[in-house]
Amino acid sequence: MCDLCIKPPPPLRDRQTTKRERESTKKVNMEQNSSSLMNTLLLISVYLLTCTAIIYAAASNSADFVRRSCKTTRYPDVCYKSLVSYAPSVKHSPHRLAYAALTVSIDRVRSVSSFVAHMSARPKPNGFVETEGSTEGGAIQDCTDNLKDSIDQLKQSIKEMGHLGRAKASRYAWHLNNVETWVSGALTDETTCLESLSQSAGPKVKAAIRKKVVEAAQVTSNALALVNQLATH
């Protein structure tokens, strides 16, 4: 047999059959790849939905914890509205919730203090204070001083919260008592501010300042209630 002889090409029918087989195989592979891709996308979708459901459930449970805890305070609606945004970080920790409440309280009191200080510094034509040495001016100054004292005591309470440790620690009760004392003192300062305004300030000053101070005092009262709850945990 001649090794150099050229073999004749396969019959046309055989070549067409081979082409059809390749195309069929290619089509099958494409269908398999498409099916595999769809399965993968389906699994990813299920995973994402599951994760979303878990996250939503956890957030919902944390918000419920905040709501339940706030029911023991004097102003539960104010408590929930001011603290629900902290629910994801608070989770189910009474300690974290009390800490968040103190943080909100000091922020509110600082805001009110700045507002009152700004009002007392306004010139006579546009302001409410008649003269620097007037009774009304003295009432605003007393209120400002009391708010500053409240801020200082809230700072001390927040710092002391960092030393609480575990509920069964030997000095837990002592640290908690310090926190309660300082928060209670802060609330007293805010109440004294209101009393000063009631006794010596005119109606315009009361209308401008009282609402803000009352809101801050409500938040501080709620913070004290949540701190007191720590004694039962």
Side-chain angles (χ1 to χ4, degrees):
M1 180 179 293
C2 179
D3 294 333
L4 298 179
C5 293
I6 299 175
K7 296 180 180 181
L12 179 60
R13 185 175 181 179
D14 292 344
R15 282 183 292 177
Q16 290 176 343
T17 302
T18 302
K19 183 178 180 182
R20 285 198 298 269
E21 290 175 349
R22 287 199 302 268
E23 291 177 349
S24 176
T25 301
K26 183 178 179 181
K27 183 178 180 180
V28 170
N29 290 337
M30 290 178 63
E31 291 177 350
Q32 289 177 344
N33 291 336
S34 177
S35 177
S36 177
L37 178 60
M38 291 297 295
N39 289 335
T40 301
L41 292 175
L42 180 61
L43 290 174
I44 292 174
S45 298
V46 172
Y47 174 77
L48 291 176
L49 288 173
T50 303
C51 290
T52 301
I54 292 173
I55 293 172
Y56 177 81
S60 178
N61 290 337
S62 298
D64 288 341
F65 170 74
V66 173
R67 189 185 298 277
R68 290 195 305 271
S69 300
C70 284
K71 286 182 179 180
T72 63
T73 67
R74 190 171 181 179
Y75 309 99
D77 291 339
V78 173
C79 176
Y80 180 75
K81 290 178 181 179
S82 65
L83 294 175
V84 67
S85 61
Y86 292 86
S89 59
V90 166
K91 299 186 186 304
H92 293 79
S93 170
H95 182 277
R96 292 178 184 175
L97 183 61
Y99 189 92
L102 291 174
T103 301
V104 171
S105 178
I106 196 170
D107 286 344
R108 291 288 181 89
V109 179
R110 279 173 173 163
S111 177
V112 176
S113 180
S114 297
F115 175 81
V116 175
H118 175 72
M119 175 174 288
S120 64
R122 295 174 68 180
K124 179 182 175 182
N126 298 321
F128 301 106
V129 183
E130 295 179 359
T131 63
E132 185 177 346
S134 67
T135 302
E136 189 170 80
I140 291 183
Q141 185 59 51
D142 288 344
C143 179
T144 302
D145 292 340
N146 280 295
L147 291 176
K148 289 180 179 178
D149 290 340
S150 176
I151 292 171
D152 289 339
Q153 299 212 62
L154 288 171
K155 284 181 179 178
Q156 291 291 338
S157 65
I158 291 175
K159 182 179 179 180
E160 191 72 7
M161 282 286 290
H163 300 304
L164 278 180
R166 296 183 178 275
K168 295 182 180 180
S170 59
R171 294 177 66 82
Y172 180 87
W174 184 79
H175 288 300
L176 180 59
N177 182 69
N178 288 340
V179 176
E180 291 171 330
T181 299
W182 279 316
V183 181
S184 179
L187 182 59
T188 299
D189 289 329
E190 294 160 23
T191 303
T192 303
C193 165
L194 290 173
E195 292 174 350
S196 179
L197 292 174
S198 299
Q199 294 172 1
S200 305
K204 289 185 177 181
V205 169
K206 291 179 184 179
I209 299 177
R210 178 177 173 79
K211 182 176 183 295
K212 292 182 178 295
V213 177
V214 167
E215 290 174 349
Q218 289 177 347
V219 171
T220 303
S221 172
N222 290 337
L224 178 59
L226 294 174
V227 168
N228 289 338
Q229 285 186 28
L230 297 179
T232 62
H233 293 280

